[in-house]
């Protein structure tokens, strides 16, 4: 049964229209049907931090808000095992603060914990959800999830879909995009040496998109060769992307000083950010290349 609530009211008339209805579906099928019914006049809401920010910046609220906070299957953590490999399922409505405090994330996926630590303020992280950060399409946690090869599980009204994070983000632009239900983290590979990092370069304003976010997970064998490499970059208003050409260049290499210049050029070529009123795309490229090269310089003996 859908619960229909009265319009939101405050002590003085708001400057922007408020939604006429807030819906609280009890399961995913009900939420999906509501979105299908009201289309562009409706949007899903979880922690609400992004919607509130957009409203303060002049974007009116949708006429219908579909709250997912009564759907319990979207919250919390589950430990899984698949062919002897440990995995962690994170419900899409799990807050960033809860993710940051999770002992398994801290032990197995510390770069995700580091990425979360850089999202806005503690008060926002107490409300914002990991699913909301992914659906934002430019969230700071996305590069970390990409290099950890996280899986996005979503519901399309009839079935559950399993995709990599980049594929799911692309689907968010669609008219009837699936509801993100959870994120699954596979146990990362290990080797003689591991280089993993998350770096964020931003401005002092907490709620302005970062200049650059970079994440990497690299395994180096006993011979000093890069045997596994995942590298991603984002920042600003462009969705983060894997840097596949840079990954291929680094694969199977024992890095020497001369490789750093080639890596720098490759990052400039394949990282495609966007300009905004604060930062040019070219500046973002330069920052990303400098950050990545400075980290890989640590591997050179």
């Amino acid at each position: 049964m859908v619960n229909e609530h009265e319009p939101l009211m405050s002590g003085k008339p708001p400057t922007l229209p408020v939604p006429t209805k807030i819906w609280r579906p009890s399961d995913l099928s009900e939420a999906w049907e509501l979105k299908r019914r009201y289309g562009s006049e409706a949007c899903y809401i979880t922690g609400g931090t992004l919607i509130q920010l957009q409203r303060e910046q002049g974007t009116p609220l949708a006429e219908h808000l579909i709250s997912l906070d009564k759907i319990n299957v979207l919250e919390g953590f589950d430990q899984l095992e698949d062919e002897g490999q440990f995995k962690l399922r994170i419900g899409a409505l799990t807050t960033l603060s809860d993710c940051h405090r999770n002992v398994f994330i801290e032990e197995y996926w510390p770069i995700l914990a580091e990425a979360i630590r850089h999202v806005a303020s503690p008060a926002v992280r107490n409300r914002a959800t990991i699913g909301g950060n992914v659906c934002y399409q430019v969230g700071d946690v996305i590069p970390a999830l990409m290099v950890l090869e996280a899986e996005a599980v979503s519901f399309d009204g009839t079935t559950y879909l399993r995709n990599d994070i980049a594929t799911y983000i692309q689907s968010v632009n669609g008219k009837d995009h699936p509801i993100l239900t959870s994120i699954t983290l596979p146990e990362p590979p290990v080797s003689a040496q591991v280089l993993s990092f998350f770096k964020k370069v931003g401005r002092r304003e907490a709620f302005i998109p970062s200049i650059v976010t970079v994440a990497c997970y690299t395994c180096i064998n006993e011979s000093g060769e890069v045997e596994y490499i995942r590298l991603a970059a984002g920042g600003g208003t462009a969705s983060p992307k894997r840097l596949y050409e840079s990954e291929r260049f680094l694969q199977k290499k024992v890095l020497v000083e001369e490789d750093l210049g080639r890596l720098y050029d490759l990052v400039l070529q394949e990282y495609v950010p966007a300009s905004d009123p604060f930062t040019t795309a070219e500046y973002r490229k330069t920052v990303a290349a400098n950050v990545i090269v400075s980290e890989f310089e640590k591997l050179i003996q």
Side-chain angles (χ1 to χ4, degrees):
M1 187 75 174
V2 175
N3 296 317
E4 184 176 327
H5 288 248
E6 296 297 324
L8 298 175
M9 300 298 290
S10 60
K12 59 182 181 179
T15 57
L16 292 171
V18 295
T20 58
K21 289 183 176 64
I22 300 177
W23 305 90
R24 296 187 184 276
S26 58
D27 57 41
L28 289 168
S29 294
E30 194 174 6
W32 176 265
E33 289 305 320
L34 283 166
K35 186 67 172 70
R36 293 274 292 180
R37 183 189 308 171
Y38 295 109
S40 61
E41 297 178 350
C43 73
Y44 300 117
I45 183 171
T46 54
T49 55
L50 175 61
I51 289 177
Q52 180 60 31
L53 172 62
Q54 291 173 332
R55 183 168 185 263
E56 291 172 356
Q57 294 174 339
T59 302
L61 293 171
E63 185 176 351
H64 298 266
L65 296 182
I66 304 169
S67 173
L68 304 178
D69 60 2
K70 298 297 184 183
I71 306 177
N72 295 332
V73 296
L74 300 180
E75 297 182 358
F77 304 93
D78 291 299
Q79 302 171 46
L80 311 173
E81 187 173 331
D82 182 13
E83 297 182 350
Q85 184 187 54
F86 173 66
K87 296 184 177 182
L88 185 69
R89 175 194 172 277
I90 310 172
L93 265 62
T94 307
T95 67
L96 292 175
S97 290
D98 284 343
C99 291
H100 188 260
R101 289 190 293 262
N102 184 274
V103 294
F104 294 110
I105 291 177
E106 182 64 33
E107 178 179 356
Y108 290 94
W109 304 279
I111 60 173
L112 177 57
E114 180 67 8
I116 290 170
R117 189 175 69 83
H118 285 86
V119 176
S121 66
V124 170
R125 294 194 292 272
N126 286 337
R127 289 281 303 166
T129 64
I130 190 167
N133 197 269
V134 170
C135 292
Y136 183 27
Q137 299 177 276
V138 296
D140 287 340
V141 305
I142 296 174
L145 292 173
M146 284 181 167
V147 302
L148 294 172
E149 297 199 316
E151 179 183 65
V153 181
S154 57
F155 179 72
D156 70 354
T158 56
T159 59
Y160 286 89
L161 309 174
R162 298 179 180 274
N163 298 109
D164 59 63
I165 295 296
T167 300
Y168 177 75
I169 289 174
Q170 292 174 359
S171 75
V172 172
N173 293 320
K175 177 182 177 182
D176 298 318
H177 72 82
I179 302 172
L180 183 63
T181 61
S182 65
I183 292 166
T184 302
L185 293 171
E187 186 176 346
V190 295
S191 189
Q193 182 182 359
V194 172
L195 173 70
S196 67
F197 60 86
F198 174 86
K199 300 292 181 181
K200 176 178 177 177
V201 179
R203 291 169 291 273
R204 295 185 63 183
E205 297 89 339
F207 300 105
I208 293 177
S210 56
I211 294 173
V212 166
T213 50
V214 174
C216 178
Y217 193 92
T218 308
C219 291
I220 301 95
N221 63 25
E222 293 180 351
S223 300
E225 294 178 339
V226 174
E227 62 180 6
Y228 178 93
I229 170 71
R230 299 292 184 270
L231 184 61
T237 57
S239 294
K241 305 288 184 184
R242 283 269 299 277
L243 302 182
Y244 291 106
E245 289 299 320
S246 297
E247 291 176 0
R248 281 190 281 269
F249 172 72
L250 293 168
Q251 187 75 29
K252 300 301 181 182
K253 280 189 175 294
V254 177
L255 288 179
V256 296
E257 192 73 33
E258 290 76 12
D259 293 325
L260 298 180
R262 177 58 178 154
L263 175 61
Y264 184 92
D265 291 338
L266 279 173
V267 174
L268 291 181
Q269 290 172 22
E270 68 171 326
Y271 174 44
V272 186
S275 297
D276 61 29
F278 305 97
T279 310
T280 66
E282 289 303 313
Y283 180 71
R284 284 193 164 94
K285 285 174 174 281
T286 302
V287 172
N290 282 329
V291 169
I292 292 170
V293 167
S294 68
E295 290 297 321
F296 278 94
E297 192 172 16
K298 299 174 183 178
L299 297 179
I300 297 178
Q301 305 298 323

